[in-house]
Amino acid sequence: MTPSDTLGFAARAIFSYPLRSSLLVLAMSIGMAAVVMLTALGEGTRDYIVGQFISLGSNLIIVQQGRNETGGLHMGNLATPRELTIEDAASLLRNNHVSGVTPVSIGTAEAAANGRLRETMIFGTTASYVDIRRFSTSQGRFLPDEDWQRPRAVAVIGSAIHHELFDNTSPIGQMIRIGDNRLRIIGVLSPVGQGLGFNPDKMIFVPIATSLIIFNTNGLRHILVDITSRDAIEPAKVELEQIIRERHGGELDVTLTTQDAALATFDRILGMVTMGLTGIAAISLVVAGILVMNVMLVAVTQRTAEIGLLKSIGASNHVIMRMFVTEATLLSLIGSLAGFMLGHLGAWGIRMSWPFLPAWPPAWAIAAALAVALCSGLVFGIMPARRAAALDPVLALTGH
């Protein structure tokens, strides 16, 4: 019996039982679609977060209060870390590797203007922030480049705040009340969208000294330090730690995070999440393979007389096994291809629903899912095939 004859036999058997074959194909296609969609979602999330970090600037160091290492308990560990201050940020400018420093303070407050009121996020920063984040203004200008210690009663609003409080009218020159402070609007930020948990479109930007008055604090959220080149990041990190240590009484009570370190951490975490999602989805392919085995076992019982006829005209046990294994594998292949198309349709739906998420399934996940699906059909098709091959031809002809 030639391979083409075996394939033809398997195809005829599949089409002879359309309901049974359709259910098997459906089970396999659901498993395959789950793998494609979940891996697309995982990879899309990873690419989105990596892109957001890259948008911060390629030579960035983030200085945050507190140490993220855990060590043995000693009296030095019991001291409360000092707050990061504007003076700390200004001191970092004297390093030769630093091209720019931006102190940041973040909080929430009620903003009122034009007879409307809403709770919003207040972002205290300096004029250099738009250069680091590559933002621009659609109206007016950004914060003035002046003494960081000097509070100014000015504000720049995000595009969403503009539409919510002022509709389509120009807000430039109008007053906005934030808490107990009245500020004059000098600019509107161009639309940016969601990124790393923040949406600048829904934020109000004020000078760093003004934000500390609004929040009634002296401490910063963090400091962004722009380094002159990528080669200078590591030596700059060591020198910046020394500057902070000198200012904080000999204690290094801050954490300096480079962009590469943050990217590597997120990439590792999200890669493991994607692998986990792939493994969970792959279980459904194994379950579908077990279903193939169960149905094929029933098929052997239903087709006992057919098997007996084949053996009576000279078909060997090996040929009988090959026919049933081919049928199971063919069902798995059809289901996998259908699931592949269904999964890509689902990934397309994700991209349409969340345009910022590049939900494309990785090639390795598709190849692995196809391999698992085909192996499931092959492995779980062996037992029914062995059972069919072991039938006695005389008893099989009588339907026993």
Side-chain angles (χ1 to χ4, degrees), residues 14 91 159 239:
I14 290 172
S91 68
S159 58
E239 294 172 14

Side-chain angles (χ1 to χ4, degrees), residues 124-382:
T125 186
T126 61
S128 59
Y129 184 74
V130 288
D131 297 325
I132 290 179
R133 292 303 310 272
R134 302 183 181 92
F135 291 165
S136 61
T137 55
S138 58
Q139 297 183 43
R141 59 191 178 90
F142 199 65
L143 301 175
D145 187 8
E146 297 179 354
D147 183 5
W148 296 351
Q149 299 280 6
R150 179 186 175 189
R152 288 285 306 276
V154 295
V156 175
I157 62 176
S159 58
I161 299 293
H162 171 210
H163 292 300
E164 289 178 13
L165 298 183
F166 298 96
D167 296 325
N168 294 322
T169 61
S170 175
I172 304 301
Q174 299 195 47
M175 304 301 294
I176 185 170
R177 180 174 58 81
I178 302 176
D180 297 327
N181 303 271
R182 286 171 53 83
L183 310 178
R184 186 175 300 279
I185 299 173
I186 61 172
V188 177
L189 201 68
S190 299
V192 177
Q194 184 79 19
L196 291 178
F198 294 101
N199 189 346
D201 299 341
K202 299 181 179 180
M203 295 164 61
I204 298 176
F205 297 82
V206 300
I208 186 65
T210 304
S211 69
L212 298 182
I213 293 175
I214 294 174
F215 305 141
N216 191 27
T217 182
N218 293 320
L220 304 175
R221 174 72 172 269
H222 55 255
I223 303 171
L224 302 179
V225 185
D226 197 23
I227 307 302
T228 54
S229 67
R230 291 187 66 83
D231 295 336
I233 289 179
E234 288 305 319
K237 183 179 177 181
V238 174
E239 294 172 14
L240 295 178
E241 288 178 347
Q242 183 59 34
I243 294 173
I244 295 294
R245 184 181 282 109
E246 292 173 357
R247 288 190 52 80
H248 289 200
E251 291 290 334
L252 184 60
D253 51 4
V254 298
T255 299
L256 277 69
T257 305
T258 64
Q259 186 189 42
D260 288 343
L263 277 174
T265 300
F266 272 105
D267 189 60
R268 186 164 54 251
I269 293 173
L270 293 172
M272 293 177 64
V273 170
T274 301
M275 291 293 292
L277 291 174
T278 305
I280 293 171
I283 293 174
S284 60
L285 290 175
V286 177
V287 172
I290 295 174
L291 179 61
V292 170
M293 178 183 68
N294 291 335
V295 174
M296 291 298 295
L297 285 171
V298 174
V300 170
T301 303
Q302 292 176 334
R303 294 156 62 185
T304 301
E306 179 184 350
I307 296 169
L309 180 60
L310 288 170
K311 299 190 79 170
S312 67
I313 60 176
S316 65
N317 290 349
H318 176 72
V319 170
I320 299 295
M321 278 193 64
R322 191 172 62 194
M323 287 189 299
F324 276 86
V325 169
T326 301
E327 183 179 344
T329 305
L330 193 58
L331 283 168
S332 299
L333 178 61
I334 295 172
S336 299
L337 295 178
F340 173 78
M341 293 184 288
L342 186 62
H344 268 285
L345 182 62
W348 174 81
I350 293 173
R351 294 193 298 273
M352 291 298 101
S353 301
W354 297 283
F356 61 87
L357 204 62
W360 293 95
W364 63 264
I366 294 175
L370 282 171
V372 170
L374 292 177
C375 287
S376 295
L378 180 64
V379 171
F380 290 109
I382 290 176

